Amino acid sequence: MLGSWILLGFCFCLLFLIIRIQKPKNFPPGPRVVPIFGNLLQINLKNPLKDFEKLAERYGNIYSIYIGSRPAVVLHGLKTIKEALVIKSSDFSGRPQNSLVSHVTEGKGIIFADYGAPWKEHRRFALMTLRNFGLGKQSMENRILGELEHLIAKLEKHAGSTMSPQTLFHSAASNIISLVLFAIRFEYDDETLKIYIRLFTELTKIANGPWAMIYDMLPLLRPLPLPFKKAFDNFDTLKKMTRAMISKHIKTRVPGEPRDLVDCYLDELDKEVEGSSFDVEQLVRFILNLHAAGTDTTSNTLLTAFLYLMVHPDIQEKCQQEIDEVLEGKAQVTFDDRHNMPYIQAVIHESQRIADTVPLSVFHCTTADTQLMGYSIPKGTIIIPNLSSVLNEEGQWKFPHEFNPANFLNDQGQFVKPDAFTPFSAGPRTCLGEGLARMELFLILVTLLRRFKFVWPEDAGEPDFTPIYGITVTPKPYRMEVRLRQ
Ligand code: HEM
Ligand SMILES: *[C@@H]1O[C@H](CO)[C@@H](O)[C@H](O)[C@H]1NC(C)=O
């Protein structure tokens, strides 16, 4: 018995020696690496935040961890992140390949596509189409205001009682991006809408959960029917749904008269540009990426904003005062009104700062051997920009650790945006939906605060601010009391 244990132990030691991980020369410091597992045994995979915090405290602005046998470098603070993502952007704008996410998305689309021509062409197309009004007669603003009428009707039904805003905000955000992509919206109790939202939220939680780590770490397990299969199944369902939507567009479109982003893409395909990366399979992933990215982010930010506005009724009232003054006699708010609403602007930005919706950004990857802060980082290293660390960095904010709109106001009460406001990340990979997201947040918050007062229900106990961790972070589910304002 003892003999076989010793033998087993001996074999393990031998195995460890053979496959010992050799850190590259002059690599950023980090905890000791265990073969096969990297640093994953030292980290609580279900909620790694506490362990990361300890590492960050110990090593400072740049440190390395191993995800299995793959080296990753975590970047902290504005200076380090800017140096990588902005100043050395061409070295730092790749996306990790050979991982669960890249296999699920097949490296296509835009979010997880590697740095190269197909990504660049799709990104340029998306930005241009979203910015210009290449989307039919309706402006982006009207699409959002149109959806708001449905949102208001739904909230009015709950006036005088309490309700849970979770699915409602996700539905509204999903509808707004649907209107842009497909020129359609769904009723809030529509099954298709519910399926989209469930699949999107599940995917963002699986994608950085423990099973994704195991998939990335142990390639031998990949063919087995383990829980990470769910990511592939979800994505297949989403692809089918999106393909069906695109087929309908192909049948009903009038070339040259685009109704929405899908039509614009089909027009682009008609041009048959030599060597273009545009094709129908790319279109499916591209549309799915925009749909997912536009749903879970904006809605989680809204959930955080309303949570804090209920907990700080004085701040909510001050918003309402400003709204009433500026919009007096006007039926509807316009995006231009933001220039006369410094306080609302400050509250929205402060909500985004506290919401910290995408805390570790989307992982980047080095595209060449490079240098950062005096360290050497080889090509193919995973880069994790810790955006949270910038959003509450000491020295960058007047009140880094509390919800306080003064973080975005100067002494004259004017709106100012510090450089450290980076919830959308920075550099060539920065969120391409920023314009849309900012318009949504402003129009939705102003319209809802003008019409309703939101109150933390008396029987709801103390608010719990601990977020639920994922690629996107969301507040713990809560209820709110909706009251009509006069
Ligand atoms: C409050 C809302 C939002 C937040 C906080 C947010 C945040 C982010 C962040 C942090 C990234 C990663 C950037 C990087 O890799 O460095 C990103 C990427 C992206 N976002 Fe957003 N986002 C929001 C809304 C949206 C919306 C509404 C859309 C849809 C139009 C969108 C589309 C995208 C796309 C396509 C990418 C990938 C860009 C690329 O890889 O080149 N996002 N977003
Ligand atoms: C990112 O920074 C925040 C705040 O400084 C810290 O709490 C968190 O643990 C860091 N995460 C990682 C992965 O280093």
Side-chain angles (χ1 to χ4, degrees):
M1 188 61 199
L2 187 66
S4 49
W5 276 113
I6 292 174
L7 192 65
L8 195 71
F10 181 73
C11 288
F12 252 106
C13 292
L14 205 63
L15 198 67
F16 271 38
L17 280 179
I18 294 168
I19 51 176
R20 207 177 61 189
I21 293 174
Q22 195 72 53
K23 282 196 190 184
K25 241 179 129 184
N26 190 29
F27 203 51
R32 216 170 54 82
V33 185
V34 178
I36 304 174
F37 296 101
N39 295 119
L40 293 179
L41 298 179
Q42 293 130 288
I43 288 168
N44 172 356
L45 293 182
K46 272 238 156 80
N47 190 352
L49 291 180
K50 276 267 155 336
D51 300 310
F52 284 146
E53 204 146 349
K54 277 189 219 130
L55 292 175
E57 260 164 37
R58 176 147 168 226
Y59 295 105
N61 285 337
I62 176 165
Y63 70 86
S64 62
I65 52 170
Y66 273 72
I67 303 175
S69 55
R70 293 199 67 176
V73 171
V74 185
L75 310 181
H76 271 245
L78 185 61
K79 188 165 178 284
T80 317
I81 289 184
K82 250 199 163 155
E83 164 111 8
L85 304 195
V86 181
I87 296 170
K88 299 193 166 164
S89 63
S90 60
D91 290 350
F92 283 90
S93 293
R95 294 287 191 212
Q97 303 301 312
N98 195 18
S99 66
L100 178 68
V101 209
S102 74
H103 288 166
V104 166
T105 58
E106 296 150 21
K108 293 194 179 189
I110 184 161
I111 307 181
F112 302 107
D114 211 352
Y115 194 60
W119 163 75
K120 219 174 243 165
E121 287 168 23
H122 280 81
R123 186 173 166 103
R124 193 184 304 133
F125 170 79
L127 278 169
M128 253 187 26
T129 323
L130 289 174
R131 195 179 306 128
N132 302 339
F133 295 84
L135 295 169
K137 291 186 198 74
Q138 249 198 337
S139 69
M140 195 73 88
E141 199 161 352
N142 281 334
R143 282 169 219 255
I144 299 171
L145 291 172
E147 186 58 33
L148 261 164
E149 283 175 24
H150 295 277
L151 189 56
I152 287 181
K154 187 85 183 171
L155 285 170
E156 275 175 352
K157 282 205 192 115
H158 289 278
S161 63
T162 70
M163 55 105 49
S164 161
Q166 261 73 17
T167 27
L168 189 57
F169 285 163
H170 274 80
S171 306
S174 172
N175 271 344
I176 291 169
I177 187 78
S178 274
L179 285 163
V180 173
L181 301 175
F182 310 118
I184 63 162
R185 68 174 296 277
F186 300 96
E187 292 305 323
Y188 292 139
D189 52 9
D190 190 289
E191 277 312 307
T192 311
L193 177 61
K194 285 187 194 159
I195 294 172
Y196 269 126
I197 291 170
R198 181 172 57 79
L199 297 178
F200 287 149
T201 39
E202 275 176 13
L203 271 176
T204 66
K205 299 292 179 237
I206 301 171
N208 72 340
W211 283 104
M213 296 264 192
I214 289 168
Y215 181 96
D216 293 355
M217 196 164 70
L218 302 166
L220 283 174
L221 299 182
R222 290 177 187 179
L224 301 180
L226 292 166
F228 46 65
K229 276 274 176 283
K230 188 158 185 201
F232 291 91
D233 296 342
N234 279 9
F235 203 73
D236 279 340
T237 315
L238 284 166
K239 274 192 294 198
K240 275 197 201 106
M241 292 166 75
T242 306
R243 271 203 198 97
M245 209 76 101
I246 292 171
S247 305
K248 224 183 267 169
H249 274 68
I250 293 177
K251 285 197 199 101
T252 57
R253 69 191 273 256
V254 179
E257 287 180 30
R259 298 159 290 185
D260 48 39
L261 203 122
V262 170
D263 278 352
C264 289
Y265 195 104
L266 294 170
D267 279 349
E268 197 64 27
L269 278 183
D270 285 349
K271 291 184 195 157
E272 293 181 12
V273 178
E274 177 89 7
S276 150
S277 60
F278 283 43
D279 64 40
V280 175
E281 278 313 293
Q282 279 281 12
L283 172 58
V284 174
R285 272 77 168 187
F286 174 66
I287 292 294
L288 256 178
N289 278 185
L290 293 174
H291 199 167
T295 299
D296 208 35
T297 46
T298 314
S299 47
N300 285 328
T301 309
L302 284 170
L303 286 170
T304 305
F306 281 98
L307 174 60
Y308 281 86
L309 284 171
M310 284 193 291
V311 176
H312 299 276
D314 52 321
I315 296 180
Q316 186 178 154
E317 257 162 51
K318 230 174 141 180
C319 290
Q320 282 156 338
Q321 249 170 32
E322 188 177 73
I323 293 169
D324 292 346
E325 262 170 46
V326 176
L327 296 187
E328 204 190 334
K330 281 183 67 174
Q332 253 176 350
V333 59
T334 63
F335 193 40
D336 273 342
D337 289 323
R338 71 189 185 284
H339 301 302
N340 299 319
M341 297 187 176
Y343 192 73
I344 283 278
Q345 282 274 76
V347 167
I348 292 174
H349 284 75
E350 180 66 354
S351 300
Q352 279 206 271
R353 187 183 75 83
I354 291 282
D356 191 11
T357 304
V358 196
L360 299 181
S361 186
V362 177
F363 292 1
H364 286 229
C365 186
T366 44
T367 56
D369 293 347
T370 186
Q371 302 273 327
L372 190 69
M373 313 301 273
Y375 294 106
S376 308
I377 305 178
K379 177 178 173 169
T381 306
I382 297 172
I383 301 295
I384 306 179
N386 185 337
L387 300 180
S388 320
S389 73
V390 185
L391 292 177
N392 55 39
E393 187 169 357
E394 315 245 343
Q396 301 285 354
W397 303 97
K398 282 185 257 179
F399 305 97
H401 305 300
E402 63 181 76
F403 180 82
N404 191 335
N407 277 317
F408 292 91
L409 294 168
N410 66 13
D411 293 341
Q412 285 80 49
Q414 288 157 329
F415 172 68
V416 284
K417 189 157 75 178
D419 283 345
F421 182 74
T422 54
F424 297 105
S425 188
R429 280 281 183 174
T430 192
C431 175
L432 73 76
E434 174 172 354
L436 174 58
R438 294 203 307 127
M439 193 186 270
E440 287 184 68
L441 292 175
F442 179 78
L443 296 177
I444 294 175
L445 258 130
V446 169
T447 308
L448 295 189
L449 287 176
R450 190 182 192 194
R451 187 103 186 89
F452 303 102
K453 179 177 171 151
F454 299 92
V455 183
W456 185 255
E458 249 174 45
D459 61 359
E462 284 295 305
D464 183 351
F465 297 105
T466 340
I468 300 174
Y469 186 72
I471 289 189
T472 56
V473 152
T474 178
K476 285 242 172 79
Y478 62 79
R479 300 180 67 76
M480 60 190 196
E481 188 183 326
V482 185
R483 291 190 198 154
L484 273 178
R485 294 180 70 222
Q486 330 302 337

